[in-house]
Amino acid sequence: MARSMNEKEAMGAHHDDAFPESDVTVQLAHDVDNTKYSPWSKSMFRLYLVLACAYLCGCLNGYDGSLMGGLNGMKAYQNYFHIVAAVFFTAPVNDWFGRRWGMFTGALVIIIGTCVQATTHTKSQFLGGRFVLGFGVSFCCVSAPCYVSEMAHPKWRGTLTGLYNTTWYIGSIIASWVVYGCSYIEDNQDAWRIPIWCQMITSGIVCLGVFWLPESPRWLMAQDRYEEAANILATYHGEGQLDHPLVQLQLKEMANQISSEASDKKWYDYHELWNTHSARRRLICVLGMACFGQLSGNSLSSYYMVNMLKSAGITDEHKVLALNGINPALSLIGAVTGARMTDVVGRRPLLLYTIALTPSQRAAANTTIAFIFIFGIVFSFGWTALQSMYIAETLPTATRAKGTAVGNFASAASSVVLQYSSGPAFEKIGYYFYLVFVFWDLIEGVVIFFYFPETKDRTLEELEEVFSAPNPVKKSREKRSAQTVLNTMGAPDDEKATI
């Protein structure tokens, strides 16, 4: 521990020495703002390559989720199995062993679940495979967004973190067209087994790729491994320079905000998710984003696309599967565009504008299939990139894994409720069921307006100032300044007054 503290002091990140003079900190903040950054530099391309491995976790999640919807449209599958999905809790592995090992564990479990599922000849074995596979997917869905948000360059954190969830559509597209191609296979057994076997491709790449990834610098800070964290930040955020202003700023902020004795060291301790005003406001955002992302009506087009197409008179198996493959391709365009817009217009405007637009799109969805596709594009533009990103970035390092796992659990619970209620609802009232979501979206808009602060233009550590404020939404509208940095680094009041 003594060695770790010496490393921390050597980097100028010790809490006691952080403020010999306030103007030193103010100058560092100005240097960060005045430094020119390029998304096309050598270090940024290295960062993109690192994040690509984590993005594959989003792909395998999209493949798994859409595979079930696609197989639903195959006669060979309809006569063979029903669907069971499970969500599991995975925070301890991420907190104890790191984000990389969380991704590795999830990918390995997915491979095991795939082997069990694809070789089955009984319903019980298939469901057992789904159980194991779902366990693995949940690991990846916690580890990957945490890793991406903690590794992303602060200047483009919204875009880079948002792209993680947009890769869900890439997995979805692959799944849809693999199922479409396999629908022409005359052997009914091979027709549904081949798409399942293909799940091993991305999970296999993740299993091998994590050994070449750097660990999250924020997780390393939480383990008192300061020198490693500094070197990683210098490599991927500072063009290889340890004295780069952005590297030094992040090191100082992390040293003051990340504790090596927080609740992430105890697998059973969740009290930091609600023990303070800041924690409770963060939890509202986590649960709100998790539930709203599933209950806005968007998942209907994923799980019930086949039934919706048949209700519109499209019953040919190959045509149904082809249209099922077009929908995610169009949504991907909207999602990628939305990911970039998070750093341009901000998180709140995207959510609120989308909430305002989707009711009209959904109301029109009962007229033509085209409007279903339009709704998918509009929703993905505002929500897809933010669903994982907003949850990960609103949480501090100590509770990021646990909070993300809780968010995933809430999301899965909401999804299960919607899946089991939507079938009877469509059967009884048909497309009038969409009116429920029209009114529900209005409620979402009110909650987002009053409780979801803007997270754009601040580092992950600087968001503590926002959530600790009496009114986080109002505080988030204030422009980031040197005062923000001083507050994050715990400057005494008399030093703040010298600005």
Side-chain angles (χ1 to χ4, degrees):
M1 180 67 177
R3 179 174 177 272
S4 296
M5 291 306 297
N6 289 334
E7 293 171 352
K8 191 175 180 181
E9 291 175 5
M11 292 185 295
H14 193 280
H15 180 81
D16 296 335
D17 300 331
F19 294 96
E21 296 179 0
S22 61
D23 58 345
V24 174
T25 303
V26 172
Q27 184 60 49
L28 179 59
H30 288 318
D31 288 344
V32 170
D33 291 337
N34 295 331
T35 300
K36 293 184 179 180
Y37 303 91
S38 172
W40 313 116
S41 66
K42 181 179 179 181
S43 64
M44 286 303 297
F45 277 103
R46 295 179 66 177
L47 179 60
Y48 300 152
L49 185 61
V50 165
L51 297 181
C53 186
Y55 289 162
L56 288 177
C57 292
C59 288
L60 63 86
N61 184 27
Y63 187 97
D64 177 67
S66 294
L67 183 63
M68 295 298 97
L71 289 176
N72 242 349
M74 294 179 64
K75 296 182 172 77
Y77 179 77
Q78 290 174 340
N79 299 326
Y80 210 81
F81 291 116
H82 295 289
I83 299 172
V84 171
V87 175
F88 293 92
F89 186 79
T90 60
V93 171
N94 286 274
D95 285 335
W96 291 350
F97 303 106
R99 314 312 191 201
R100 293 189 311 153
W101 284 103
M103 289 188 285
F104 173 82
T105 303
L108 181 61
V109 173
I110 289 173
I111 292 174
I112 296 173
T114 298
C115 292
V116 173
Q117 190 179 13
T119 59
T120 184
H121 292 282
T122 65
K123 181 177 180 179
S124 58
Q125 183 181 341
F126 184 88
L127 296 182
R130 287 296 305 158
F131 182 90
V132 175
L133 201 151
F135 186 87
V137 170
S138 67
F139 263 95
C140 292
C141 290
V142 171
S143 309
C146 288
Y147 182 81
V148 173
S149 67
E150 293 173 354
M151 277 294 297
H153 195 288
K155 293 298 180 182
W156 300 284
R157 190 183 70 239
T159 301
L160 295 176
T161 310
L163 284 175
Y164 160 76
N165 212 42
T166 67
T167 59
W168 190 97
Y169 287 116
I170 296 177
S172 176
I173 292 168
I174 296 173
S176 299
W177 291 107
V178 168
V179 171
Y180 175 75
C182 290
S183 68
Y184 288 93
I185 299 176
E186 295 181 0
D187 187 334
N188 284 348
Q189 296 298 312
D190 289 339
W192 65 265
R193 290 185 195 274
I194 291 176
I196 294 176
W197 278 118
C198 288
Q199 290 180 108
M200 293 181 64
I201 298 175
T202 50
S203 54
I205 296 175
V206 172
C207 260
L208 297 175
V210 294
F211 293 104
W212 282 270
L213 300 184
E215 185 50 84
S216 161
R218 287 171 170 81
W219 182 84
L220 291 172
M221 272 286 194
Q223 314 306 313
D224 284 343
R225 294 160 63 177
Y226 303 102
E227 186 176 3
E228 294 177 62
N231 290 333
I232 290 173
L233 286 176
T235 300
Y236 295 97
H237 293 179
E239 302 296 334
Q241 302 173 20
L242 188 59
D243 60 351
H244 191 282
L246 184 60
V247 173
Q248 286 299 309
L249 177 66
Q250 289 184 91
L251 287 173
K252 288 178 178 292
E253 290 183 339
M254 291 192 307
N256 280 277
Q257 292 289 329
I258 299 176
S259 171
S260 60
E261 298 179 357
S263 63
D264 56 331
K265 310 302 184 297
K266 302 175 183 178
W267 65 269
Y268 56 85
D269 190 356
Y270 284 79
H271 83 284
E272 288 190 23
L273 284 175
W274 61 75
N275 66 331
T276 64
H277 166 77
S278 172
R280 288 188 290 272
R281 291 304 298 255
R282 293 175 189 264
L283 188 60
I284 289 174
C285 295
V286 169
L287 296 178
M289 199 68 192
C291 295
F292 294 166
Q294 296 298 323
L295 298 178
S296 298
N298 56 298
S299 58
L300 295 180
S301 62
S302 175
Y303 289 105
Y304 293 97
M305 174 63 79
V306 173
N307 294 333
M308 293 161 71
L309 292 174
K310 290 182 178 179
S311 297
I314 303 174
T315 58
D316 178 74
E317 179 182 8
H318 300 309
K319 188 176 293 186
V320 167
L321 294 175
L323 289 173
N324 196 50
I326 293 173
N327 190 42
L330 295 175
S331 297
L332 175 63
I333 298 173
V336 171
T337 306
R340 181 67 193 104
M341 288 298 102
T342 59
D343 282 328
V344 177
V345 301
R347 283 63 156 163
R348 275 173 54 88
L350 279 181
L351 292 174
L352 292 172
Y353 293 158
T354 306
I355 286 292
L357 290 174
T358 50
S360 61
Q361 300 293 340
R362 187 177 293 111
N366 61 353
T367 58
T368 65
I369 297 301
F371 279 102
I372 297 177
F373 292 158
I374 293 173
F375 166 71
I377 295 172
V378 172
F379 182 89
S380 61
F381 176 80
W383 280 80
T384 298
L386 285 165
Q387 282 180 283
S388 294
M389 179 192 74
Y390 196 75
I391 290 175
E393 67 179 8
T394 55
L395 292 163
T397 299
T399 58
R400 186 164 290 118
K402 289 177 180 176
T404 302
V406 170
N408 288 347
F409 179 82
S411 176
S414 301
S415 179
V416 168
V417 170
L418 186 61
Q419 287 180 55
Y420 279 96
S421 62
S422 297
F426 271 126
E427 183 180 350
K428 299 295 183 180
I429 61 176
Y431 280 103
Y432 288 107
F433 184 46
Y434 280 113
L435 294 177
V436 174
F437 296 103
V438 172
F439 291 106
W440 174 253
D441 285 350
L442 296 177
I443 296 175
E444 290 182 0
V446 172
V447 173
I448 291 171
F449 184 83
F450 287 106
Y451 289 97
F452 282 33
E454 180 57 65
T455 57
K456 175 177 173 285
D457 293 334
R458 286 177 168 84
T459 66
L460 292 174
E461 286 68 39
E462 289 169 1
L463 288 173
E464 175 60 30
E465 178 195 36
V466 171
F467 286 101
S468 295
N471 188 336
V473 173
K474 181 179 180 180
K475 186 67 177 179
S476 71
R477 292 174 180 171
E478 297 178 6
K479 187 177 181 180
R480 178 183 179 276
S481 64
Q483 183 66 64
T484 302
V485 177
L486 287 173
N487 292 339
T488 303
M489 296 171 68
D493 291 337
D494 58 342
E495 294 184 350
K496 294 178 184 178
T498 65
I499 298 179

